[in-house]
Amino acid sequence: MELPSGLKYSREHEWVRVEGNIAVIGITDFAQSELGDVVYVELPEVGTEVEANNTFGVVESVKAVSDLFAPVSGVVLEANTTLEDQPELVNSEPYEDGWMIRVEMKDESELNDLLEADSYRAYIEEESG
Amino acid sequence: MTNADQELRRTSLYETHKAAGAKMVPFAGYEMPVQYTGVIDEHRAVREAAGLFDVSHMGEFEARGREAGAFIHKMVTNNVRRLEVGGVLYAAMCREAGGIVDDLTVYRLDEERYMAVVNAANIEKDWEWMASHHTEDCAFENVSDETGLLALQGPKAESILAKLIPGGGDLADVPYYGARYKDVAGCEVLVSRTGYTGEDGFELYCKSADAPALWDALMSEGGGEGLKSCGLGARDTLRTEMKYALYGNDIDESTHPLEAGLGWVVKYKAGDFIGREKLLALRAEGIKRKLVGFEMVDRGIPRHGAPILVEGEVAGEVTSGTMSPSLGKAIGIGYVPASNADEGAALEIDIRGKARRAQIVKTPFYRKS
């Protein structure tokens, strides 16, 4: 499983790439593999305020609907609209073209609640027993 | 998710599935494969080549004796009296009040021997219901545990299966909705040309202990033809594209066959059956709601339980829905008022609190080109 080391990870299986005060958010390789074929993604509009640990959208596989949880609070600057037509990018490139939203962070200290790659790996190993 | 401490049952193919890397999920009290490589991949294999499914969790009841046919006839809506040896029919089983106990297939295996094949989730309920109407005139037995069932489906199903029948066996003698006993890869198999995918294909009944050997023989014979092992995920998308009802989703005890689009398996003139009077009355009154198929116009996937709106008012409910792998469109099935059930009629589906446009379309959604 791919877990790039420069990213921060949430216990809800989202990743965050920090670019100054901007957080780029997507779901992890683990999350996409658990979901299976992603066929639909619904993301917030630009300007929407998202709040840490609250839902900001949904991702659907053939079988199931899953909520997307914001790892940090802030305002949505951009949503990856390519996923409307190519939701499968979430499966094939979860950390690159499968990204979901760019958020201007409100409180960068929230990043401290997120996990580094190693501790996230330990977390999912424990979770999947 | 099913309660984790509930003891899940396993089919004789459990180890085979695990070895093949299947993702297992609880379904109808069984631990079953939901997918191997991916739902879309498996779905396409069935439409374009062939897929192999383990459906051993389904239930089989056998009735034997001079009155066996009359007994089964009384229990189901279709005309069992007209069934010839080697014939299969699809039917609903109803309560007196018309509600659907289950949908099932009935086989006439011999002059005085019939088999009813029921949904896994309903085995106990069906057994109780049927046993309560069963008289001493025939033997009635639940053979679910000793029966294995594989579904081999897709355009390549026949050629793959034929190679495993000694003497270059021919399957021309197995008509659609017909079944014959054959030696397949050394196992005694009831080969039935039936399925739940809309493709040509077979359901293969064998001894539960023989299922792993039969599975392996089919997979190694079919590998070169594109045969893939398939899970319940693909089974669901395939049947949804055909608008085949799934018990517990599209039909249940609160629905009756006429509104569910199963009027074609209700044979009033064939003699009495449980629910006949009520269904006659319902037919005379006129059907109030209908199970229809629709396509989404707006973005969103309709899911089981989502409200259906007609002119802004809640008028029904989605019973099944998915992103159709064959069509690349979001499709759904649900009950709507009979007054707004025509092809082309506009609907809205409430998905996460937002009304999204949909349109009733002709079904099956998927047709072979």
Side-chain angles (χ1 to χ4, degrees), chain A residues 33-37 39-42 58 60-65 83-84, chain B residues 23 34-35 38-41 233 236-237 299-301 303 322-323 352 356:
Chain A
S33 108
E34 286 291 296
L35 285 168
D37 296 324
V39 292
Y40 182 80
V41 179
E42 195 161 284
V58 295
E60 301 193 28
S61 66
V62 179
K63 287 293 281 177
V65 184
L83 300 181
E84 289 182 12
Chain B
K23 185 171 166 186
V34 65
Q35 65 166 63
V39 175
I40 295 175
D41 201 36
D236 191 53
T237 53
R299 271 170 52 77
I301 302 176
R303 301 284 185 179
T322 192
M323 181 61 80
R352 294 181 287 278
R356 307 181 199 217

Side-chain angles (χ1 to χ4, degrees), chain B residues 56-346:
Chain B
S56 300
H57 56 311
M58 293 193 72
E60 293 85 11
F61 304 154
E62 264 192 43
R64 289 182 295 271
R66 209 144 40 130
E67 295 302 314
F71 166 55
I72 303 290
H73 184 92
K74 180 178 74 178
M75 299 307 303
V76 306
T77 57
N78 208 337
N79 189 356
V80 176
R81 289 176 205 276
R82 228 188 56 188
L83 197 58
E84 288 172 8
V85 173
V88 189
L89 56 75
Y90 175 67
M93 179 159 68
C94 292
R95 302 280 186 203
E96 300 286 359
I100 303 173
V101 179
D102 204 356
D103 65 327
L104 68 169
T105 47
V106 175
Y107 288 74
R108 187 170 188 183
L109 301 175
D110 209 334
E111 287 299 330
E112 299 185 354
R113 189 165 154 247
Y114 292 79
M115 176 170 72
V117 181
V118 304
N119 284 296
N122 292 338
I123 294 176
E124 273 179 47
K125 178 183 81 165
D126 290 356
W127 176 258
E128 277 177 28
W129 176 245
M130 294 182 86
S132 73
H133 290 86
H134 160 239
T135 57
E136 296 306 311
D137 303 329
C138 69
F140 189 48
E141 192 186 353
N142 181 351
V143 295
S144 303
D145 287 348
E146 54 262 42
T147 308
L149 177 54
L150 309 186
L152 175 67
Q153 300 280 300
K156 297 279 176 68
E158 180 161 5
S159 63
I160 293 166
L161 184 59
K163 284 187 214 152
L164 292 172
I165 296 171
D170 191 345
L171 287 153
D173 62 330
V174 188
Y176 184 56
Y177 267 75
R180 303 286 180 275
Y181 282 100
K182 290 190 182 283
D183 174 338
V184 182
C187 308
E188 192 198 30
V189 175
L190 178 68
V191 175
S192 168
R193 199 183 288 260
T194 48
Y196 196 46
T197 62
E199 298 297 327
D200 184 27
F202 301 90
E203 291 179 300
L204 308 170
Y205 296 85
C206 62
K207 288 191 193 74
S208 156
D210 286 344
L214 184 59
W215 177 280
D216 289 344
L218 287 162
M219 286 310 299
S220 62
E221 196 60 63
E225 302 226 38
L227 175 67
K228 288 202 164 157
S229 41
C230 297
L232 295 178
R235 186 167 161 84
D236 191 53
T237 53
L238 289 158
R239 72 94 195 163
T240 303
E241 285 183 351
M242 297 307 294
K243 195 179 167 253
Y244 291 156
L246 172 62
Y247 195 90
N249 274 44
D250 310 301
I251 53 175
D252 58 29
E253 303 234 355
S254 73
T255 63
H256 61 71
L258 309 183
E259 63 189 8
L262 299 179
W264 62 281
V265 296
V266 182
K267 302 291 159 63
Y268 304 96
K269 289 180 189 151
D272 200 22
F273 61 85
I274 296 169
R276 180 173 177 272
E277 263 181 55
K278 179 67 184 182
L279 293 179
L280 277 169
L282 286 167
R283 188 177 65 162
E285 271 171 35
I287 299 159
K288 307 254 182 322
R289 57 174 193 167
K290 277 186 180 167
L291 191 64
V292 298
F294 60 86
E295 267 177 22
M296 294 305 296
V297 176
D298 290 335
R299 271 170 52 77
I301 302 176
R303 301 284 185 179
H304 179 80
I308 297 178
L309 316 177
V310 174
E311 286 165 7
E313 301 289 325
V314 174
E317 207 173 81
V318 175
T319 54
S320 290
T322 192
M323 181 61 80
S324 157
S326 303
L327 306 173
K329 291 176 181 170
I331 58 171
I333 302 170
Y335 287 96
V336 299
S339 56
N340 193 79
D342 291 341
E343 206 184 306

Side-chain angles (χ1 to χ4, degrees), chain A residues 7-100:
Chain A
L7 307 181
K8 303 267 189 193
Y9 297 88
S10 79
R11 290 170 180 80
E12 299 288 352
H13 310 292
E14 278 85 19
W15 55 261
V16 176
R17 192 168 62 233
V18 180
E19 298 174 352
N21 68 333
I22 290 167
V24 183
I25 297 165
I27 67 167
T28 66
D29 193 18
F30 173 76
Q32 71 78 19
S33 108
E34 286 291 296
L35 285 168
D37 296 324
V38 171
V39 292
Y40 182 80
V41 179
E42 195 161 284
L43 299 174
E45 285 174 17
V46 171
T48 306
E49 284 205 32
V50 298
E51 210 172 317
N53 305 314
N54 285 359
T55 62
F56 71 83
V58 295
V59 56
E60 301 193 28
S61 66
V62 179
K63 287 293 281 177
V65 184
S66 305
D67 283 324
L68 294 164
F69 290 90
V72 293
S73 309
V75 176
V76 177
L77 298 177
E78 193 184 351
N80 185 359
T81 49
T82 308
L83 300 181
E84 289 182 12
D85 296 323
Q86 293 175 268
E88 65 276 10
L89 289 172
V90 175
N91 293 119
S92 57
E93 302 178 31
Y95 303 108
E96 290 93 35
D97 290 349
W99 68 277
M100 291 178 171

